[in-house]
Amino acid sequence: MDSREYILNSIRRHTTERYDKPDLSPLEAEAITYDDPVAQFTAAMKQQGGRVVLLQPGQTVGAAIAAAFPDARRTVLAVRDLPGADELPGEVTFADDIPEARDINGADLGVAEGLMGVCENGAVWIEQSVKHRAVYLLPEALVFIVRRDALVNNMHEAYNRLGDRAPHFGAFISGPSKTADIEQALVFGAHGARDVTVLLV
């Protein structure tokens, strides 16, 4: 039993009173929707400091990533059977072939699958699919591959789509790492990727 399960089991044992989940349907009925999800998602990503690239007809995923990051010298790949993987820039290593998580440090580019994109805030839902979750945090730039039909309007729809799934590690990532101090000086890349690009396919 890992530490996560130990903690959750302890909580379950010591919970003496349970409550029904609140009815969120009135809020969901009022949640924002968009006529053009791709345009809204693109605008939200730009506002968060990221960008969206649309896969062009006849273009492979690998070629689109290479066009966006031609100068990348080291790419860590967290997607199996990526179309056009041989076209990726620089030295390409599959994440599961990297011995230690710290060895991902210094990679120019990390490529992973985003399972869902949220139009209202530009967030991308990712779930750990490789040995080291550091692939989502340590590279200088990240590319998330997201299907257009996986775009949802708002966080209500996002959580409804997630349902009761409980991945070992999952997170919403909205744009590059950023932090601001009390003087409102915004810094990108302080504790994560400096650049986040979503490739819509």
Side-chain angles (χ1 to χ4, degrees), residues 2 56 73 126 145 149:
D2 62 16
Q56 300 303 310
R73 298 181 304 266
I126 57 101
I145 302 162
D149 59 9

Side-chain angles (χ1 to χ4, degrees), residues 13 20 24 56-57 70 93 95 124 127 154 156-157 185 188 193 200:
R13 281 197 314 272
D20 293 332
L24 299 179
Q56 300 303 310
T93 308
V124 175
E127 292 180 6
N154 51 64
H156 294 288
E157 291 181 19
F188 287 91
L200 284 180

Side-chain angles (χ1 to χ4, degrees), residues 34-122:
Y34 301 97
D35 294 330
D36 189 340
V38 171
Q40 171 57 34
F41 183 74
T42 301
M45 274 294 294
K46 183 177 180 181
Q47 188 176 31
Q48 296 297 337
R51 64 177 167 158
V52 172
V53 173
L54 302 178
L55 188 69
Q56 300 303 310
Q59 188 180 38
T60 67
V61 172
I65 294 171
F69 295 93
D71 299 325
R73 298 181 304 266
R74 183 175 169 223
T75 298
V76 178
L77 181 60
V79 182
R80 295 188 184 279
D81 304 319
L82 183 80
D86 57 333
E87 300 175 82
L88 288 170
E91 174 192 345
V92 180
T93 308
F94 188 68
D96 280 344
D97 295 333
I98 296 175
E100 300 289 338
R102 63 175 175 262
D103 297 331
I104 297 171
N105 191 32
D108 298 301
L109 184 61
V111 179
E113 182 180 13
L115 301 183
M116 179 177 16
V118 185
C119 294
E120 73 173 332
N121 57 16

Side-chain angles (χ1 to χ4, degrees), residues 176-181 184-194:
S177 163
K178 44 196 171 289
T179 189
D181 61 19
Q184 299 182 2
L186 182 63
V187 177
F188 287 91
H191 43 70
R194 297 173 184 269

Side-chain angles (χ1 to χ4, degrees), residues 123-200:
V124 175
W125 173 255
I126 57 101
E127 292 180 6
Q128 185 174 355
S129 61
V130 290
K131 180 170 55 175
H132 305 302
R133 71 183 69 163
V135 72
Y136 310 109
L137 307 169
L138 289 182
E140 290 293 309
L142 290 171
V143 174
F144 294 121
I145 302 162
V146 179
R147 295 178 56 87
R148 294 186 195 209
D149 59 9
L151 294 179
V152 297
N153 288 294
N154 51 64
M155 292 300 289
H156 294 288
E157 291 181 19
Y159 278 105
N160 283 338
R161 183 173 288 199
L162 288 176
D164 293 327
R165 67 196 299 160
H168 183 72
F169 173 80
F172 283 104
I173 296 179
S174 185
S177 163
K178 44 196 171 289
T179 189
D181 61 19
I182 197 168
E183 296 177 350
Q184 299 182 2
L186 182 63
V187 177
F188 287 91
H191 43 70
R194 297 173 184 269
D195 182 296
V196 170
T197 298
V198 174
L199 177 62
L200 284 180

